[in-house]
Amino acid sequence: MNDTETAAPALPAIRTAGLRKEYGDTVAVEGLDLEIRDGELFALLGVNGAGKTTTIKMLTCLCRPTSGEAFVLGHSVTREPERIRPLIDVSMQETAVARNLTVEENIAFCAGLAGLGPEDAAAAREMLYRVFGLGSVKNKRASKLSGGWQRKLSVGLALVSAPRVLFLDEPTLGLDVIARRELWTAIRSLRGKMTIVLTTHYMEEAEALADRIGIMKDGRLLFTGTKEELFAVSGAGSVEEAFIRLVEGGTGND
Amino acid sequence: MTDSLRRLRVLIRRNALEIIRDPLSLIFLIGMPLVMEVLFYAIFHKLTAQFEMKYLAPGIAVFAQSFTTLFAGLLIAVDRGSAFLTRLYVSPARPFEITLGYALALIPLAFVQSVLFFAVGAVVDPSILSFSIVPAVLACVLTSLFFIGAGILLGSVCTEKSIGGAASALIAGQSVLSGMWFPLDGMGEGVVTAMKVLPFRNATLLVQNALNGTDDPRADIAVPLLIVLAYTAAVFVLAAVFSRPGRDG
């Protein structure tokens, strides 16, 4: 590159254009135009049925959009799912662990599935022991762990493949306040290392963790921006108050 | 080894461990049928030819396989309910690798099951050692494919709560329609016809005839084998349709 050239703008990690998903007569997601930057932690908020999980399912190639298009790291979710899968991982609302395998075996399983070699698998295991504290329960079967530990393991397993984009669908659902704060600390430690898309019902979670926030209602995106922009648009002083005003008012900036 | 084979090996190991480490599965897949084999032989073998070991051991081997449907289905239903299957579908593993991972994990178990039932049968009644045990074990592996496929299908359409009832219907079907517990004489024509066209009696006949030998291999081996394989193909095709990612929305 010579001095007169400028660096090309980085590709967004995620870009959707007119994304729509219908289930029979129900429109779950409608006209979603969204851009999530590489390396940012983006929180997607919405009441039940707002379309958050459906959006994540489309972005992770678990279901096809009815119309519109979405790109993850430049790859189309409809035409190139096999190129997207090695680059992403997901932790869904439900705890997803192999119940009769130990914590260590669960990690080895995910490493094997991702095709990691012995050194990378060992590095992933040590990272999960360090970040999530799983080393203290490494020889316990997942079914014998408490709900909080199972949740940590479930979220942690999504990191084994070192994804470039991580989807966390309500990762702290059902956790007590201590376990939730511990998981927040773990998620914070990942900021900047990968792009994270987080859906949550807990407004304080979005406030504490997110670089930018998106608010959905009835399948449509009402707002995207930083906390400060959200406060400015809504006239509120907290994410929770701003969320209520936007969702009840039905207007935002999108 | 290709990436696909590596992933398959990882999936098979995990699925096998999940089932082997569940004490209930070992009780129903091996323990209870073994007790039934010994007890039924001890009580009934002098009363009716049906309970001679050369008929009882193959019958029990296939009956025990019907519990494979329950535990394969339960594993998949739990994986679906807990989003573990979603984790697999988001991974680089392809859907056919995931389905194959469930199926191949259970075939060695079917092999071990049948070897055990014939081994215990030989201890109780050494006369069955003079029959064709190796072909019978191979026939058992073939019939196990139907029950494994049925488990994958039921696991793909049932919930963790409903899989027990659905698989129990199949276990009852194998028990009643295999004809291993009571003679066909006196049964209604409709029941006998159902037994002839459904896979249950054909699976049992296949293994019994493979063990005892036959003068008419076409009628006694090929026909039941083709019927069982046709049902096996059908359940695997349906399982592939119903287990595809995104089916749940």
Side-chain angles (χ1 to χ4, degrees):
Chain A
M1 184 188 294
N2 64 40
D3 291 340
T4 58
E5 282 179 338
T6 54
L11 267 179
I14 291 167
R15 184 169 68 80
T16 72
L19 200 63
R20 179 182 174 91
K21 180 67 182 176
E22 298 169 7
Y23 295 110
D25 294 335
T26 307
V27 179
V29 174
E30 187 169 8
L32 186 70
D33 296 311
L34 177 66
E35 206 168 282
I36 299 174
R37 297 166 198 147
D38 198 16
E40 82 175 336
L41 201 161
F42 186 87
L44 200 51
L45 307 180
V47 294
N48 290 332
K52 308 182 298 291
T53 299
T54 302
T55 300
I56 285 198
K57 283 186 172 178
M58 287 190 281
L59 294 174
T60 52
C61 313
L62 284 168
C63 67
R64 284 179 70 87
T66 306
S67 61
E69 184 53 286
F71 297 90
V72 177
L73 298 166
H75 302 297
S76 159
V77 297
T78 55
R79 294 189 304 275
E80 304 170 286
E82 71 288 346
R83 297 189 71 174
I84 292 175
R85 287 195 192 105
L87 304 173
I88 65 168
D89 218 320
V90 63
S91 172
M92 300 301 282
Q93 294 172 23
E94 305 87 355
T95 298
V97 296
R99 299 197 301 185
N100 284 330
L101 267 56
T102 65
V103 168
E104 191 170 7
E105 287 169 338
N106 265 281
I107 297 169
F109 170 77
C110 286
L113 215 52
L116 301 189
E119 286 181 10
D120 288 339
R125 188 181 62 226
E126 294 308 315
M127 183 270 289
L128 291 198
Y129 288 173
R130 189 180 64 251
V131 173
F132 290 89
L134 289 165
S136 60
V137 290
K138 65 180 178 181
N139 293 321
K140 273 196 169 182
R141 287 191 193 176
S143 59
K144 304 291 181 195
L145 298 173
S146 68
W149 277 111
Q150 286 194 18
R151 200 82 194 106
K152 278 195 218 173
L153 175 61
S154 184
V155 174
L157 290 178
L159 294 171
V160 170
S161 63
R164 286 185 57 196
V165 181
L166 174 65
F167 296 90
L168 299 174
D169 192 10
E170 302 190 26
T172 60
L173 190 70
L175 290 185
D176 64 48
V177 66
I178 302 295
R180 184 181 302 165
R181 288 301 167 104
E182 286 174 356
L183 203 48
W184 284 10
T185 305
I187 293 170
R188 265 199 206 97
S189 73
L190 303 171
R191 284 175 75 165
K193 294 174 183 165
M194 60 189 69
T195 305
I196 300 176
V197 182
L198 169 93
T199 75
T200 181
H201 277 132
Y202 303 111
M203 300 301 140
E204 72 275 22
E205 192 161 288
E207 192 158 1
L209 299 174
D211 298 315
R212 285 199 308 141
I213 291 168
I215 296 178
M216 291 184 78
K217 182 191 177 190
D218 298 333
R220 290 177 173 276
L221 193 62
L222 294 179
F223 168 88
T224 50
T226 62
K227 271 181 297 188
E228 292 71 24
E229 288 166 342
L230 178 61
F231 297 156
V233 165
S234 63
S238 70
V239 171
E240 183 165 330
E241 188 54 38
F243 175 81
I244 292 168
R245 287 190 192 182
L246 287 189
V247 169
E248 289 188 342
T251 56
N253 64 355
D254 275 276
Chain B
M1 193 187 285
T2 65
D3 288 346
S4 185
L5 282 177
R6 259 188 225 107
R7 286 192 295 265
L8 197 53
R9 193 180 63 178
V10 170
L11 288 164
I12 290 169
R13 182 174 184 275
R14 176 264 163 174
N15 295 333
L17 284 176
E18 286 280 0
I19 288 188
I20 289 169
R21 287 180 179 174
D22 178 358
L24 269 185
S25 68
L26 293 183
I27 289 171
F28 281 98
L29 289 168
I30 293 173
M32 186 188 75
L34 275 180
V35 172
M36 288 171 74
E37 183 181 15
V38 174
L39 277 183
F40 278 96
Y41 176 80
I43 298 169
F44 296 117
H45 82 279
K46 286 184 178 166
L47 301 177
T48 165
Q50 206 147 359
F51 291 96
E52 288 176 19
M53 194 52 81
K54 64 181 181 179
Y55 299 119
L56 183 62
I60 285 281
V62 179
F63 173 66
Q65 287 176 355
S66 63
F67 286 95
T68 310
T69 301
L70 171 62
F71 289 99
L74 193 58
L75 177 62
I76 294 166
V78 169
D79 283 354
R80 272 179 50 232
S82 71
F84 192 83
L85 206 54
T86 301
R87 184 185 290 293
L88 300 186
Y89 283 133
V90 173
S91 79
R94 295 171 189 151
F96 82 88
E97 294 169 1
I98 295 167
T99 303
L100 211 54
Y102 287 115
L104 295 180
L106 292 160
I107 291 173
L109 185 63
F111 176 77
V112 170
Q113 267 183 320
S114 57
V115 167
L116 272 175
F117 295 129
F118 289 117
V120 170
V123 170
V124 176
D125 177 7
S127 72
I128 72 159
L129 289 172
S130 61
F131 294 97
S132 308
I133 288 181
V134 173
V137 170
L138 290 177
C140 277
V141 171
L142 287 176
T143 57
S144 75
L145 297 178
F146 164 71
F147 294 102
I148 292 168
I152 295 172
L153 172 59
L154 291 182
S156 302
V157 295
C158 295
T159 64
E160 189 177 350
K161 287 180 181 168
S162 64
I163 184 72
S168 295
L170 187 136
I171 293 167
Q174 177 57 36
S175 184
V176 174
L177 298 175
S178 69
M180 66 171 287
W181 302 117
F182 35 78
L184 300 191
D185 306 340
M187 280 191 172
E189 195 180 330
V191 177
V192 173
T193 304
M195 291 166 102
K196 283 181 181 169
V197 298
L198 290 172
F200 310 114
R201 175 151 181 80
N202 285 292
T204 303
L205 278 179
L206 175 65
V207 181
Q208 285 177 338
N209 293 338
L211 180 73
N212 294 305
T214 170
D215 295 330
D216 188 357
R218 186 172 164 176
D220 297 337
I221 300 284
V223 170
L225 176 62
L226 284 175
I227 291 172
V228 171
L229 288 182
Y231 277 99
T232 303
V235 291
F236 270 101
V237 167
L238 288 173
V241 169
F242 285 104
S243 65
R244 70 184 191 274
R247 190 182 64 80
D248 294 335

